[in-house]
Amino acid sequence: QVELVASGGDIVQPGRSLRLSCAASGFVFSTHGMHWVRQAPGKGLEWVAVIWYDGSIQEYADSVKGRFTISRDNPSNTLSLQMTNVRVDDTAVYYCAREALGGDYFDFWAQGTVVTVSS
Amino acid sequence: EIVLTQSPDTLSLSPGERATLSCRASQSLHSTFLAWYQQKPGQAPRLLIFGASNRATGIPDRFSGSGSGTDFTLTVSRVEPEDFAVYYCQQYGNSLPYTFGQGTKLEIK
């Protein structure tokens, strides 16, 4: 069965860096686009970044462009999000989500990993 | 950026009643590229509907979606106790960024 496990969340000071990971299993990882979506405490969902199935294209929300980098390693079925120069408003639960083969909607989600940015 | 506005913010119903949730887009969506998700406290979102009206695998048929252009609706024909949650709409296949509505909380009356 499809499984996505997100990890790497932590408490980090503003301006520092953090790397999130998402381990995928139960499906052919290299055929799906993958996304990061976040949710600030008590707030709604915000799309963060996408990477194409082969890693050739990455796109970002304006709020993280230039600070976050999405990447993937298909042989190890792993998705990553490198977060640099983090800000207080990056505090959120970060979900990795699988893009469906039939469209850019998210058919499976990880449980999420918590990032808290605080001095 | 396409803005999605959901209404109402909160919907209070009793089990067995019909729930109607609305999602309005700031511009017409390409080819009904709209999805609905359910999120319960402490859990990740779960896909309910894609392509405006297609139920995802394993979703009960009491959930249905409709609409096109700028106006979309999620209907729960008879609300079950496990359906009380927050529901989000999301547009895709249009210009980036992917966007979500602010959510509608379906609560027990």
Side-chain angles (χ1 to χ4, degrees), chain A residues 35 37 39 43-47 50 59-62 95 99 102-112, chain B residues 33 35 37 39 42-47 49-51 88 90-94 96-102:
Chain A
H35 298 252
V37 177
Q39 187 169 35
K43 302 297 184 183
L45 302 169
E46 180 189 17
W47 173 77
V50 60
E59 301 282 0
Y60 300 91
D62 285 347
Y95 298 101
E99 183 177 291
D104 309 357
Y105 55 92
F106 312 133
D107 62 354
F108 281 97
W109 297 63
Q111 272 305 105
Chain B
F33 285 165
Y37 302 89
Q39 187 179 34
Q43 296 185 16
R46 177 175 72 144
L47 175 68
I49 300 286
F50 62 94
Y88 294 94
Q90 178 233 338
Q91 63 84 17
Y92 58 95
N94 298 277
L96 288 176
Y98 303 95
T99 51
F100 295 87
Q102 83 280 12

Side-chain angles (χ1 to χ4, degrees), chain B residues 4-70:
Chain B
L4 299 179
T5 302
Q6 294 184 238
S7 61
D9 288 334
T10 303
L11 184 58
S12 300
L13 295 173
S14 300
E17 291 191 293
R18 182 183 186 88
T20 303
L21 288 68
S22 174
C23 177
R24 176 164 290 178
S26 60
Q27 62 191 77
S28 185
L29 300 188
H30 174 68
S31 191
T32 65
F33 285 165
L34 186 107
W36 290 93
Y37 302 89
Q38 177 193 67
Q39 187 179 34
K40 297 180 180 179
Q43 296 185 16
R46 177 175 72 144
L47 175 68
L48 296 176
I49 300 286
F50 62 94
S53 61
N54 302 287
R55 272 188 303 277
T57 302
I59 301 304
D61 60 8
R62 64 180 181 273
F63 290 92
S64 63
S66 63
S68 63
T70 61

Side-chain angles (χ1 to χ4, degrees), chain A residues 27-38:
Chain A
F27 66 100
V28 183
F29 182 69
S30 61
T31 62
H32 289 262
M34 295 295 297
H35 298 252
W36 289 98
V37 177
R38 69 184 180 182

Side-chain angles (χ1 to χ4, degrees), chain B residues 60-82:
Chain B
D61 60 8
R62 64 180 181 273
F63 290 92
S64 63
S66 63
S68 63
T70 61
D71 291 298
F72 298 86
T73 301
L74 174 71
T75 301
V76 188
S77 58
R78 291 175 56 85
V79 176
E80 298 285 340
E82 62 267 28

Side-chain angles (χ1 to χ4, degrees), chain A:
Chain A
Q1 68 281 18
V2 175
E3 189 172 21
L4 297 171
V5 179
S7 62
D10 205 346
I11 301 172
V12 60
Q13 294 180 325
R16 303 299 291 266
S17 298
L18 192 65
R19 187 176 185 90
L20 307 183
S21 295
C22 177
S25 60
F27 66 100
V28 183
F29 182 69
S30 61
T31 62
H32 289 262
M34 295 295 297
H35 298 252
W36 289 98
V37 177
R38 69 184 180 182
Q39 187 169 35
K43 302 297 184 183
L45 302 169
E46 180 189 17
W47 173 77
V48 173
V50 60
I51 186 166
W52 281 32
Y53 68 99
D54 60 356
S56 61
I57 292 178
Q58 306 87 40
E59 301 282 0
Y60 300 91
D62 285 347
S63 57
V64 307
K65 198 173 294 183
R67 300 188 300 119
F68 290 9
T69 301
I70 188 172
S71 61
R72 66 189 297 158
D73 183 68
N74 283 346
S76 66
N77 295 338
T78 302
L79 174 73
S80 297
L81 186 69
Q82 179 68 44
M83 307 167 63
T84 63
N85 191 22
V86 297
R87 308 189 303 220
V88 171
D89 61 359
D90 293 323
T91 295
V93 177
Y94 284 74
Y95 298 101
C96 62
R98 188 181 83 166
E99 183 177 291
L101 289 177
D104 309 357
Y105 55 92
F106 312 133
D107 62 354
F108 281 97
W109 297 63
Q111 272 305 105
T113 188
V114 178
V115 174
T116 302
V117 182
S118 173
S119 55

